[in-house]
């Protein structure tokens, strides 16, 4: 959402369009959607709404709706959406979105990549050739570009096979909205098991995920009518308006590509093409958006002649470790989700082992029909653990299981939704940055539990958010986030300093060196609230003839709020250089003793790889 704030109001549009937070803040565990509730977990905490660590709150928004908004933004930027029937073989002009095409061949030679794209037209496949300098593969978990480039995936395959059922029911949406609103509903009963994702209760839009065990089960076993029947079993009462839109099988993996950049920095993988996680925690899309954000300014720097192509390799250096970390965190969160059915006597690892034994072990010699009957019988016996006769407070075993389940929820050991420390606190340890001279601390391993984000000015971290007021001759002082001091539409670095003589000298050196390197730098002079009188005149004199600077003052919420420099764990004699993607490229914790010109040359050379 912080990235989307830079896209001409996109974050605000998402916030207006998403369901109210009270409709999706909870995960609900139940025997049916209208039956007994086994427990619920509220994933929102008061600080999530206070906008202290970020200028924007988390959002819950369907991917296909987001894609629609992104396409509209691209059209506003004069991109043209082209469908195969509208092209008629004319040459590409650039700035086109070729809908209905797929990449079928890549040939990387010399300084270019030749791509063959195919589309279906009037029942026949027609191919078009496109020549480019850089090919970015954002073509999803089954990426053709990744396969054609010969890039392998590393990690855990086949964690779980599922069938996804996208359906509409306004009646169900209204019932849940009034009786038990939530984002995820984990439903366990003797006839069916599933996880219902409530995309929009007000519109009655849902996706149901159910375990799938091929080859004993096939997609034919999940016809539209069968899915309607299963939905009713999970709901626990009749519904007259179920409209099944789509049914798709999918496989959950936890894998990361062995490399993100190949063919001499000309083929680059982004998003699900580079990593595929369990959906637990929403890391897939968020990590992909971060990938694109990291890569965009580097491609722009290359295209504008600011940096050589070697800067693109820092994309892999920075993003691949984050993908590996988020994979581990997603797997931990998935395992936490599996702890709930295991506590109820339905251990998914046992179910998967039984399925594997029937498929690959001793059961493999049996006829397929008998294999199916055995599997169904074992699962029916397993689901009997969920009968009301057993799962109640009066039954000794049932009471024990319900008590364990409550402890699981209370201790935060079930599936979690929010990970502020990882969402905002991820850090690049090497790449297009200068690590501190005292070394880089070891990255903490994921715990699978929610941890709060602690702002940091360590190189590689995201710039901390603080509200600041712009100082100008106008009577109104506009307050914005420090993140808003960087533009979203050009390659520009931002240098934070305090209004001290040596810091002004450093800023002048940075502006001179930036001109040599043909890169834009803006200087931000951050004034303590009590000393802003005459700020503009002082900065104008100290930085003349340079004009690319801005004076701002801290907009403290209270007198005991931390100052900018103390929040950054630095003295006001320090300086922070921020990249175009709002990550910190370099800092001096307490001033600079060396020649500032030589120091800034060394810094920009290392960051831009020139």
């Amino acid at each position: 959402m912080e990235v989307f704030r830079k896209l001409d109001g996109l974050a605000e549009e998402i916030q207006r369009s998403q369901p109210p937070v009270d409709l999706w803040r909870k995960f609900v565990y139940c025997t049916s959607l209208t039956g007994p509730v086994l427990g619920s977990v509220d994933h929102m905490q008061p600080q999530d709404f206070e906008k202290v660590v970020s200028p924007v709150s988390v959002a819950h928004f369907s991917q296909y709706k987001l894609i629609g908004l992104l396409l509209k933004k691209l059209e506003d930027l004069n991109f043209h959406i082209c469908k195969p029937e509208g092209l008629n073989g004319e040459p590409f002009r650039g700035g086109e979105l070729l809908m209905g095409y797929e990449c079928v061949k890549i040939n990387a030679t010399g300084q270019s990549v030749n791509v063959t794209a195919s589309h279906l037209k009037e029942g026949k496949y027609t191919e078009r050739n496109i020549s480019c300098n850089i090919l970015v593969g954002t073509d999803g978990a089954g990426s053709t570009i990744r396969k054609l480039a010969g890039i392998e995936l590393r990690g855990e395959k086949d964690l779980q096979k599922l069938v996804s059922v996208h359906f509409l029911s306004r009646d169900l949406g209204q019932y849940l909205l009034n009786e038990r609103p939530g984002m995820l509903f984990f439903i366990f009963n003797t006839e069916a098991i599933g996880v219902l994702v409530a995309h929009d209760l007000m519109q009655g839009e849902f996706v149901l995920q159910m375990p799938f065990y091929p080859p004993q089960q096939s997609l034919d076993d999940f016809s539209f009518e069968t899915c309607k029947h299963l939905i009713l079993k999970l709901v626990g009462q009749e519904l007259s308006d179920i409209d099944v839109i789509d049914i798709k099988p999918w496989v959950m993996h936890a894998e990361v590509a062995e490399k993100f950049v190949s063919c001499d920095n000309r083929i680059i993988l982004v998003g699900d093409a580079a990593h595929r996680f369990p959906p637990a925690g929403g890391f897939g899309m968020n990590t992909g958006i971060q990938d694109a954000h990291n890569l965009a300014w580097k491609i722009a720097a290359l295209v504008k002649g600011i940096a050589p192509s070697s800067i693109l390799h820092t994309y892999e250096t920075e993003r691949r470790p984050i993908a590996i970390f988020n994979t581990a965190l997603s797997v931990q969160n998935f395992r936490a989700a599996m702890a709930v059915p295991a506590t109820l006597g339905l251990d998914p690892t046992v179910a998967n082992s039984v399925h594997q034994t029937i498929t690959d072990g001793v059961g493999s010699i049996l006829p397929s029909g008998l294999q199916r009957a055995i599997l169904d019988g074992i699962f029916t016996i397993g689901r009997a653990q969920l009968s009301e006769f057993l799962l109640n407070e009066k039954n000794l075993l049932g009471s024990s299981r319900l008590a364990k389940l409550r402890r699981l929820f209370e201790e935060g050991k079930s599936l979690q939704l929010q990970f502020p420390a990882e969402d905002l606190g991820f850090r690049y340890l090497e790449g297009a940055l200068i690590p501190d001279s005292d070394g880089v601390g070891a990255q903490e391993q994921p715990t699978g539990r929610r941890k709060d984000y602690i702002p940091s000015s360590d190189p590689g971290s995201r710039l901390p958010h603080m509200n600041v007021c712009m100082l100008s001759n106008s009577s109104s002082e506009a307050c914005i986030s420090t993140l808003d001091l960087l533009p979203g539409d050009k390659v520009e670095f931002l240098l934070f300093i305090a209004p001290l003589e040596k810091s002004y000298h450093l800023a002048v050196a940075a502006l001179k060196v930036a001109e040599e390197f043909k890169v834009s730098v803006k200087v931000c002079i951050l004034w303590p609230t009590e000393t802003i009188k005459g700020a503009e005149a002082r900065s104008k004199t100290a930085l003349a003839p340079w004009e690319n600077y801005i004076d701002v003052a801290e907009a403290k919420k209270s007198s005991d709020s931390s100052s900018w420099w103390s929040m950054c764990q630095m003295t006001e004699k320090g300086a922070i250089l921020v990249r175009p993607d709002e990550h910190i490229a370099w800092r001096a914790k307490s001033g600079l003793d060396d020649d500032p010109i030589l120091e800034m040359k060394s810094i920009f050379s290392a960051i831009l790889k020139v």
Side-chain angles (χ1 to χ4, degrees):
M1 288 296 283
E2 287 187 357
V3 173
F4 287 165
R5 288 177 76 247
K6 297 295 177 92
L7 297 181
D8 192 25
L10 178 60
E12 292 81 359
E13 202 166 348
I14 291 169
Q15 288 175 317
R16 284 194 302 271
S17 306
Q18 71 171 345
V21 67
D22 284 342
L23 301 186
W24 54 266
R25 62 191 293 164
K26 290 183 178 180
F27 290 175
V28 179
Y29 299 80
C30 53
T31 58
S32 74
L33 293 175
T34 56
V37 173
L38 302 170
S40 68
V41 179
D42 187 342
H43 292 281
M44 302 300 286
Q45 296 181 6
Q47 63 264 35
D48 296 328
F49 304 101
E50 292 169 359
K51 297 186 179 179
V52 172
V53 297
S54 177
V56 65
S57 298
V58 296
H60 173 48
F61 200 58
S62 297
Q63 182 171 334
Y64 79 92
K65 293 178 181 177
L66 175 61
I67 288 171
L69 294 182
L70 291 171
L71 283 172
K72 179 68 172 65
K73 293 293 178 193
L74 284 167
E75 287 185 291
D76 292 344
L77 291 168
N78 296 318
F79 278 76
H80 306 287
I81 296 176
C82 304
K83 295 187 177 175
E85 59 271 17
L87 287 171
N88 298 320
E90 65 258 18
F92 296 127
R93 301 186 305 274
E96 287 134 327
L97 294 164
L98 309 180
M99 309 303 281
Y101 282 76
E102 63 173 331
C103 173
V104 294
K105 194 185 299 179
I106 297 170
N107 183 22
T109 57
Q111 296 301 308
S112 66
V113 182
N114 296 310
V115 177
T116 303
S118 170
H119 69 271
L120 188 63
K121 186 176 180 181
E122 298 174 356
K124 295 180 181 178
Y125 281 99
T126 305
E127 294 185 346
R128 296 288 299 267
N129 292 317
I130 306 166
S131 182
C132 56
N133 294 324
I134 301 168
L135 173 64
V136 182
T138 61
D139 51 340
S143 173
T144 303
I145 291 170
R146 184 185 66 233
K147 292 168 187 169
L148 291 173
I151 300 172
E152 297 291 330
L153 292 165
R154 299 277 183 261
E156 294 184 67
K157 289 183 183 293
D158 298 350
L159 288 172
Q160 184 79 55
K161 293 182 175 70
L162 299 112
V163 167
S164 176
V165 183
H166 184 192
F167 72 95
L168 301 175
S169 171
R170 284 192 176 271
D171 289 351
L172 179 58
Q174 284 301 308
Y175 171 79
L176 292 174
L177 192 146
N178 294 324
E179 299 297 326
R180 53 176 75 161
M183 178 195 284
L184 294 186
F185 297 83
F186 297 81
I187 311 159
F188 308 97
N189 65 46
T190 56
E191 295 187 87
I193 291 171
V195 179
L196 186 73
V197 185
H199 280 280
D200 195 322
L201 291 178
M202 297 167 79
Q203 294 180 8
E205 182 181 11
F206 303 92
V207 173
L208 174 64
Q209 307 286 0
M210 293 181 289
F212 179 42
Y213 294 95
Q216 291 79 19
Q217 293 179 335
S218 72
L219 197 56
D220 293 339
D221 297 319
F222 294 87
S223 65
F224 279 69
E225 283 306 312
T226 301
C227 287
K228 280 187 182 181
H229 179 71
L230 287 167
I231 291 165
L232 294 177
K233 294 291 184 187
L234 293 167
V235 171
Q237 68 179 33
E238 287 296 317
L239 290 171
S240 60
D241 69 338
I242 295 174
D243 179 14
V244 176
I245 296 169
D246 196 19
I247 302 164
K248 284 182 179 174
W250 64 282
V251 184
M252 187 187 296
H253 304 286
E255 298 177 298
V256 177
E258 61 183 353
K259 52 186 174 181
F260 287 11
V261 179
S262 68
C263 295
D264 197 24
N265 303 321
R266 281 176 288 136
I267 297 178
I268 304 170
L269 301 180
V270 172
D272 285 358
H275 41 72
R276 44 194 197 180
F277 317 141
F283 284 99
M285 179 183 283
N286 284 288
T287 307
I289 291 165
Q290 292 167 10
D291 290 343
H293 192 224
N294 180 288
L295 180 62
W297 78 269
K298 295 172 182 177
I299 291 180
L302 171 62
V303 170
K304 293 175 185 297
I306 296 167
S309 66
S310 56
I311 196 171
L312 300 181
H313 198 75
T314 67
Y315 162 70
E316 177 180 312
T317 306
E318 293 176 354
R319 292 303 304 167
R320 192 168 180 274
I322 302 297
I324 291 169
F325 182 94
N326 287 352
T327 303
L329 186 53
S330 297
V331 170
Q332 283 184 330
N333 209 23
F334 168 66
R335 306 267 190 235
M338 296 301 99
V340 172
T343 301
L344 296 174
L346 281 175
D347 191 334
T349 58
V350 174
N352 290 336
S353 296
V354 167
H355 176 239
Q356 191 166 3
T357 301
I358 292 171
T359 304
D360 302 323
V362 293
S364 61
I365 62 172
L366 300 173
S368 58
L370 186 55
Q371 288 184 32
R372 170 69 183 264
I374 292 170
L375 192 69
D376 287 347
I378 290 171
F379 287 172
T380 300
I381 294 167
R383 290 195 302 270
Q385 305 285 322
L386 303 168
S387 69
E388 290 185 23
F389 169 76
L390 183 61
L391 202 59
N392 68 75
E393 295 291 354
K394 294 179 181 178
N395 182 289
L396 191 61
L397 179 59
S399 175
S400 171
R401 286 175 174 172
L402 290 170
K404 285 181 181 176
L405 194 62
R406 283 192 293 272
R407 285 198 300 275
L408 205 66
F409 296 146
E410 289 164 3
E411 294 170 5
K413 292 181 179 177
S414 60
L415 178 70
Q416 298 299 297
L417 174 64
Q418 288 213 70
F419 294 87
E422 289 78 15
D423 291 336
L424 294 172
F426 66 95
R427 178 187 174 197
Y428 307 136
L429 301 182
E430 57 179 329
L433 54 92
I434 314 290
D436 281 342
S437 57
D438 54 1
V440 175
Q443 188 173 19
E444 289 185 30
Q445 292 305 303
T447 63
R449 310 279 185 86
R450 172 175 172 144
K451 291 189 297 183
D452 286 332
Y453 161 67
I454 300 172
S456 169
S457 66
D458 290 341
S461 300
R462 271 186 71 67
L463 176 69
H465 154 72
M466 177 182 273
N467 285 321
V468 294
C469 293
M470 292 188 288
L471 305 180
S472 65
N473 291 322
S474 63
S475 56
S476 63
E477 294 180 348
C479 284
I480 60 173
S481 167
T482 46
L483 295 167
D484 297 329
L485 295 168
L486 285 133
D489 58 355
K490 67 177 179 177
V491 180
E492 183 170 76
F493 287 76
L494 181 67
L495 180 68
F496 278 93
I497 61 167
L500 303 174
E501 186 178 357
K502 286 189 75 174
S503 298
Y504 279 124
H505 290 164
L506 175 66
V508 169
L511 290 163
K512 284 181 178 177
V513 170
E515 191 171 61
E516 285 182 41
F517 279 77
K518 299 179 182 175
V519 64
S520 177
V521 169
K522 181 192 285 183
V523 176
C524 175
I525 306 97
L526 214 151
W527 293 78
T529 311
E530 62 275 8
T531 61
I532 61 174
K533 191 174 181 182
E536 284 184 280
R538 186 174 167 192
S539 293
K540 185 175 182 179
T541 302
L543 297 176
W546 310 98
E547 296 182 351
N548 199 21
Y549 66 89
I550 183 169
D551 289 290
V552 302
E554 298 173 357
K556 290 187 178 181
K557 287 196 169 184
S558 63
S559 57
D560 59 351
S561 297
S562 295
S563 72
W564 170 256
W565 299 106
S566 61
M567 180 175 73
C568 292
Q569 298 183 327
M570 296 170 59
T571 74
E572 64 174 4
K573 295 178 182 178
I576 299 172
L577 183 66
V578 188
R579 307 188 321 191
D581 63 351
E582 295 120 35
H583 279 260
I584 293 168
W586 165 85
R587 70 173 175 180
K589 286 184 181 179
S590 56
L592 202 62
D593 295 325
D594 299 326
D595 180 334
I597 292 281
L598 291 177
E599 186 69 17
M600 294 313 299
K601 282 185 177 180
S602 173
I603 288 164
F604 278 106
S605 180
I607 293 167
L608 298 172
K609 307 303 174 191
V610 293

